[in-house]
Amino acid sequence: LAWDDQVLYVLVVTNDFEIHTFDRAPSALFNGDSAHFEFGPDPSGLGDGDPLRDADRHVLLGVPGPEDAHVLGAVNPESGGVFVRGPDSSRQPTIQGVVNIEQGAGYILEAAIPWPVLGVNDPQPGMVFGANLNVSDAAPNGDLRLMVSTNPNRSGENQDNPGIWNTLVLQG
């Protein structure tokens, strides 16, 4: 991860010997080969089981098919303490990115997420956020095969629990 005053940059390098891309709703990109992350305000003081807050988001960066190198960006917002998904309403065309797929080896995904998409208006060094960076791997039939995270405690069952997210501090 890196940042400037306009965007948060994400770079993901995978070892994925079978790239599986699927035509799916942007809000469900996490089921396919993709990078995604939870992001929200500083989680300090939150406990295990505290619900999502209004400013929490699930940002999805989809790996397109081999004929398209542009990242498909989407955001699932918080509603009622959980992340909600909609068919195409979560699509975020302001998220820019590219994917270099190397069949039999993996992919490299680079994306730039504008701070307003993350609910941040004026990022400054020292700001603290809650975040988990995750990478999903799809099975040949399109089902989620595996998800790995920077947070060893992250699972599908506790994704909506910002009290267990990692802490991200913007360095100057």
Side-chain angles (χ1 to χ4, degrees):
L1 299 174
W3 70 283
D4 62 25
D5 62 344
Q6 300 296 311
V7 298
L8 177 68
Y9 299 98
V10 177
L11 172 66
V12 177
V13 179
T14 69
N15 293 317
D16 187 347
F17 302 107
E18 295 181 275
I19 309 297
H20 299 290
T21 58
F22 299 93
D23 183 17
R24 60 179 83 243
S27 63
L29 290 169
F30 62 89
N31 285 317
D33 286 351
S34 64
H36 49 104
F37 60 96
E38 293 83 29
F39 185 90
D42 184 353
S44 299
L46 296 178
D48 188 0
D50 282 343
L52 292 175
R53 297 137 320 157
D54 290 345
D56 292 326
R57 290 156 168 71
H58 184 209
V59 180
L60 304 115
L61 305 169
V63 176
E67 68 286 343
D68 185 0
H70 295 91
V71 167
L72 175 60
V75 175
N76 290 334
E78 178 280 339
S79 180
V82 298
F83 287 121
V84 294
R85 293 179 278 194
D88 288 320
S89 59
S90 62
R91 175 96 163 87
Q92 291 291 327
T94 60
I95 294 175
Q96 299 294 309
V98 295
V99 178
N100 180 20
I101 297 174
E102 296 183 27
Q103 289 295 340
Y107 62 88
I108 299 172
L109 181 147
E110 298 178 69
I113 299 98
W115 285 110
V117 169
L118 298 172
V120 178
N121 294 319
D122 186 24
Q124 298 293 318
M127 290 180 84
V128 179
F129 301 97
N132 295 321
L133 180 60
N134 317 296
V135 176
S136 291
D137 183 40
N141 68 356
D143 292 338
L144 179 63
R145 177 187 354 217
L146 173 71
M147 190 269 310
V148 293
S149 178
T150 57
N151 183 340
N153 298 315
R154 165 66 163 83
S155 70
E157 291 77 38
N158 66 15
Q159 174 195 19
D160 296 333
N161 183 349
I164 66 155
W165 293 358
N166 290 316
T167 301
L168 172 67
V169 180
L170 299 184
Q171 299 295 316

